[in-house]
Amino acid sequence: MSLFGLKFGKKKLKEEERQLQANNRDFNLQFEYANNSIKTSKYNFFTFLPLNLFEQFQRIANAYFLFLLILQLIPQISSLAWFTTVVPLVLVLAVSGVKDAIDDFNRHKSDKHVNNRPVQVLINGMLKDEKWMNVQVGDIIKLENNNFVTADLLLLSSSEPHSLTYIETAELDGETNLKVKQALTVTAELGEDLQKLTEFNGAVKCEAPNNKLDKFTGTLTLQGEKYALDNEKMLLRGCTIRNTEWCFGLVIYAGPDTKLMQNSGKTTFKRTSIDRLMNVLVLVIFAFLALMCLILAIGNGIWEYDKGCYFQVYLPWAEGVNSASYSGFLMFWSYVIILNTVVPISLYVSVEIIRLGNSFYIDWDRKMYYPLNDTPAQARTTTLNEELGQIKYIFSDKTGTLTQNIMCFNKCSINGKSYGDVYDMSGQRIEINENTEKVDFSYNQLADPKFAFYDHSLVEAVKLSDVPTHRFFRLLSLCHTVMPEEKKEGNLVYQAQSPDEGALVTAARNFGFVFRARTPETITVVEMGETKIYKLLAILDFNNVRKRMSVIVRSPEGDLTLYCKGADTILYELLHSSCDSLKEETTEHLNEFAGEGLRTLVVAYKNLDEDYFQDWIRRHHEASTALEGREDKLSELYEEIEKDLMLLGATAIEDKLQDGVPQTIETLAKANIKIWVLTGDKQETAMNIGYSCNLLNDDMEDVFIIEGSTSDDVLNELRNARKKMKPDSFLDSDEINIQFQKSSKNPNVIPDEQANGVYGLVITGHSLAYALEGNLELELVRTACMCKVVICCRVTPLQKAQVVELVKKYKKAVTLAIGDGANDVSMIKTAHIGVGISGQEGMQAVLSSDFSFAQFRYLQRLLLVHGRWSYIRMCKFLKYFFYKNFAFTLVHFWYGFFSGFSAQTVYDEWFITLYNLVYTSLPVLGMSLFDQDVDDRWSMLFPQLYVPGQQNLYFNKMVFVKCMLQGIYSSLILFFIPYGAMYNTMRSDGKAIADYQSFALMAQTCLLIVVSVQIGLDTSYWTVVNQFFIWGSLSVYFAITFTMYSDGMYLIFTASFPFVGTARNTLSQPNVWLAIFLSITLCVLPVVGFRFLKAQLKPTPSDKVLLKIKEAKKRPPPPSPKRRLRRTSTRRSGYAFSHQHGFGALIMSGRNMRPKSPFATTGTFSPNSDKHKHKGL
């Protein structure tokens, strides 16, 4: 049963196989399948308080303060009032709780928005509007064009011929090219007939819910017949219906069982490495506190036994105390309360305030604001700021994160001439920017207004009817598998299987060769205003082995021509020998294009002999209908006809990177940050982007490609790569191998290993699945982490998270994941820091992230400026805070030896109350919110300054020990100098001032001035606020002291203010000020001396960079000329194809064809005819 959102009763058995029946809710309910409601929130109304408190009390200090509160409620040992602990504790818990509640409320809101989306469900023979969350397994639902897919569905029928349905899977795998799904013939007949759909009672048996996006097996039983089901018949949640008016689907998996949700990962409670370190340090401090209290308790027992009996007359033991040992036991707990200020609760209040303040800086940073879509940077969580200054590994998505996912026809080479560059009057090439004049395509009414090209000479060549140029663009308009849509006359929309193909066809369209319509037998092209219909005789389809595609067409004039496009390495082997000189010129252009990171293709043609073609097409028909060896026979025929081609030229497409991506990656690499790209894209595309954005380059020693299809193959490939990078890693003397030998189980942390050069690693999703298995994961981590760059391609969302988890598990490093789509959510949740880019793929990544912004380039500012500053500020804060509290608290310890171990406080109780709350809180907050060793410009110019954060140099256990020792040393000075100065001292008028109140005042004044001078030494960047806080705090101290120790306050509140007259009597004595000056000098001088000598004799790399910056500030360097990042590469690739086998067979069969467009039925349409001229006016 369910109570308050919690479920009791028998545990649900693990599902082995799913059974369901269409249109039979009663049958399906017996299996208790999940409904379509999703939940990404952590709490509900009833579980918030217990769960949130449980999380907060995992912070050891919170548990300690609760324990302290219980102690203060016991009168025999309480030396301070209970509310001094309960008020700050409740405040800290409340602030953190409210923040967590707001975060979870936003998650609830997001869930509610998704769960309440409307969908049409077939109920009792009628389509009814239902909310997504009410959809159940076995329901039949109707989806329309541009709808999100509600759940994981078996496609039953659609509006398209042969029940094809086009979908976009960007939120699942990041790919925006269309994919096609097809229903079974037996269900396609149902159409949109509601009566037939209602009577449909097919039973489905399939695999249990899992996270494999590319795999589905099951059977449909209908009227006694069994039909096989596979992934090609499934529409997955997260996809979007495109170019399909309507389709019907049967719900197989709903809500949390859908493959999208199975891949989404869990929402985890993230804590920074400093938080975890503080937990350890707090335990150390507790042990130190217990040791001090034990020493003082033993001292009390001995003193009471030896001397206490003499004081019984006027200092009797408390009620119930009847022995020296029991007195010592009570004193132990009294000292626990007095000395608890070594870990004051104000530490945690201050930490939250500092984090909140540094989060606001991110929100307010105008340099991370993207004006084009009005998107500011946003710190969606306020607890992880300083971790941004410690990132060692970045895991990035590709599509939409590094790239804009926009393909642009950038340059081309036609008949040995290169087009696309712009030259000035003197013949110098000029940089293309937003001010460069674009080519005017207004003469072409069917041109795409979004298309931009800058080289006017190409348009002139087209207008002058240059034969090779016309043939080039004719090829681009005919040789493809693009589907056109023309709902309004002249308004063409191309649906391409890959964005590359769309870019090439759009380029041909703008230069006057407009692909207008297609049927299974024809292609209609408007050539320079004249409509021509080509007969499509054959499509020689693309596959990963051929790396090319061809079409054979007959022109209206009757000419037979084969047009081919493909990778240069393949096509160059097929060219006629007469093309050799043109091939050399084109190769130069290809090298130049590839050097700029463009995606290249070579295009060629061949005029065919009629008799030969008739013989070839007969053999082609026989091969395509053969029952055995069909693929091989077709491949041989393709090879036969694609020979002696005539070279036309080459195309260069730019897969547009986001602005500043190469520069950002270069800067992050200098900061010793390793970047891994995890993408759903195919290997060639991912590698090409790797080269474009300077991740990979030809200067690397090697780029290893791991593509083994078995576990042993993958292991051998990884080992061979490691052997090349570091042969010594296979020796028994190797540090990690020694670790293996010592420990029977795998080591927890693998130290960093240095390769003998710069290497890259590319691994496919199939191989990665083997590499992530238990016995191979260590090999993967060792090999991959030696490489400068790792690219994982064709990976599922869950594999992305597993890779991040693997590095977290074996490397003592902070990880960051950045992405923009639903397929990145699990990775973003798994990494220490998750960054969402508010891009074109929806807001799922942003909603799951810790930080978000609009462009990848802002990542360098987030890390190198905000992250670094936050880390340095937090480290300085902690060092200073622990120091000042050790110095403050340990004076009580030394005083215990001079006060009979009686738990008497050194300072006035008001000073103890106000020390952390008023006197020292604002100066340290000022430093922690405003301090910066260098400004943002220098932080970006010298990324090496980021390295100490990765190595955790500014605050670690050793630094803490140094703070502790400095605090102990200062406490000795702060006790014994005032004690010696006061001992048997007389005022100038002969009166004694060696009383407890005068000593207390002198000790606390010394302490406050010393810690104020210390924070002055720690401050690197002085502002008006810092000055005001430090001088203001000292002024407030003296003002409060003179006020509280005045006669008036004593007369009004006699019991509360016993230090009457102490301030004016003590602070008027020159010897007191001399002693204060001596204390300050003795406390501060060693610190100044140590820092000076360390910087001179053993400077850190950071010190050296800071010295460079100091010198550069004196002589500002001339501004460096802006340079465009270029790479020289001989690597080229042909990518104007989709990731799957081509659509050629589908097009030729005509199964995907709609009725002809009304605007393409005639062969005489011309945009320049009188009939249509008014359209362009």
Side-chain angles (χ1 to χ4, degrees), residues 673-685:
I673 295 172
K674 293 189 175 181
I675 298 175
W676 293 27
V677 176
L678 311 178
T679 176
D681 252 334
K682 65 175 180 176
Q683 180 183 316
E684 290 91 341
T685 313

Side-chain angles (χ1 to χ4, degrees), residues 567 819 1104:
K1104 292 172 186 173

